[in-house]
Amino acid sequence: MRLRNIPRADRILSEHQKVIKNEAEKKGKWSMVFENEHPVYVEIGMGKGQFLTTLAEKNPDKNYIGIERYSSVLLRAVERLDAIEEKQGVKLENIRFICMDAADVPDVFEEEEVAGIYLNFSDPWPKKRHARRRLTSREFLKRYEKILDEDGVVEFKTDNQELFQFSLEQAKETGWNLKAISWDLHHDKEMCRGNVMTEYEEKFSSQGNPICKMTAAPSVKDKGISA
């Protein structure tokens, strides 16, 4: 899908207080950024921000960082946050954004600095030669393992069953523990409890597409994310 460039995006993001600049300088210092010791959760490929802003509203005792590669997409998340704060008349201090490539997460977060990672409807990169670019590939799982704390997990949702099968296989091959699996999340009462939907999730589920979800942790990490 061709992304529409928004000329004003870079300027607005560079001036916005919730968008982190020079993010590598914050490595190991995210508690100072948020000015508290609350756990940090990261969504990689956050899109327009519905999922993350909803979590930030629901859980003031947790910190959230949204990562998006494209400035024109991240702009929409920033605009959503601004609209929420204006409507409520209060600032959400537990959310920040970064415009960066997901491959660089070990350069931005210290070992065991992240409590959980969300991957929602990631690009499937359908061509076999691009498999390493998939956010649930072995290469990316190894990156996540470096930054997750001892109880940290990855939660992954998709409507793409081929990508889901690939993700399950990659997790097993990398020695990760598959904590929970559903091939039809919205009909799984246990796993769907407390589920927060993304924009894509609403769209695809309304079309009758089953939503797949897995919760996985490196072999020494054994607890799930509590939303």
Side-chain angles (χ1 to χ4, degrees):
M1 180 180 68
R2 184 179 178 87
L3 292 172
R4 182 170 65 90
N5 181 55
I6 302 177
R8 71 180 190 280
D10 289 339
R11 176 183 58 81
I12 293 175
L13 296 181
S14 68
E15 297 173 354
H16 202 282
Q17 292 183 340
K18 297 294 179 61
V19 178
I20 300 297
K21 298 82 180 176
N22 303 315
E23 58 273 5
E25 297 178 2
K26 308 299 189 295
K27 182 176 180 177
K29 302 175 183 177
W30 287 103
S31 61
M32 296 174 62
V33 173
F34 287 103
E35 299 183 345
N36 61 55
E37 296 295 331
H38 296 164
V40 174
Y41 294 83
V42 177
E43 182 182 10
I44 299 178
M46 62 169 293
K48 298 178 182 178
Q50 175 174 303
F51 177 82
L52 207 67
T53 53
T54 300
L55 286 183
E57 289 184 272
K58 289 165 61 77
N59 303 294
D61 59 340
K62 297 177 181 179
N63 297 323
Y64 297 96
I65 298 174
I67 292 175
E68 177 55 52
R69 180 178 180 181
Y70 300 103
S71 61
S72 294
V73 179
L74 181 53
L75 175 65
R76 299 307 187 194
V78 168
E79 291 175 336
R80 174 186 290 274
L81 176 63
D82 288 344
I84 291 171
E85 293 183 336
E86 182 177 357
K87 181 179 180 179
Q88 296 183 351
V90 62
K91 298 290 185 180
L92 284 176
E93 299 297 345
N94 63 332
I95 187 169
R96 298 291 189 277
F97 304 120
I98 309 175
C99 192
M100 60 173 280
D101 192 297
D104 296 328
V105 291
D107 299 326
V108 176
F109 300 99
E110 189 57 83
E111 292 184 10
E112 301 194 355
E113 194 171 19
V114 174
I117 295 172
Y118 300 102
L119 307 173
N120 292 313
F121 300 88
S122 309
D123 189 333
W125 291 102
K127 294 182 179 179
K128 187 175 181 180
R129 69 175 183 270
H130 293 155
R132 296 180 64 179
R133 301 185 186 183
R134 298 169 190 163
L135 294 183
T136 51
S137 68
R138 286 176 291 179
E139 288 77 13
F140 273 96
L141 291 176
K142 290 176 181 178
R143 293 181 176 106
Y144 307 149
E145 186 170 355
K146 292 179 180 179
I147 65 176
L148 285 169
D149 67 25
E150 64 178 353
D151 295 329
V153 301
V154 168
E155 289 193 1
F156 171 59
K157 290 194 287 188
T158 183
D159 71 315
N160 187 312
Q161 296 195 1
E162 291 185 5
L163 176 60
F164 191 63
Q165 181 63 47
F166 167 86
S167 304
L168 295 176
E169 293 170 356
Q170 293 287 285
K172 291 177 181 178
E173 291 177 12
T174 315
W176 280 51
N177 180 16
L178 292 169
K179 301 292 295 176
I181 301 170
S182 178
W183 288 86
D184 192 356
L185 175 64
H186 293 179
H187 290 89
D188 187 323
K189 291 183 179 179
E190 182 64 28
M191 284 190 68
C192 197
R193 185 178 296 117
N195 181 55
V196 174
M197 290 205 287
T198 74
E199 296 95 337
Y200 281 125
E201 187 171 355
E202 290 180 346
K203 175 183 177 180
F204 296 143
S205 61
S206 70
Q207 296 172 347
N209 297 353
I211 305 302
C212 306
K213 179 178 179 179
M214 78 172 188
T215 300
S219 58
V220 296
K221 301 172 184 184
D222 201 38
K223 295 183 180 179
I225 295 176
S226 55

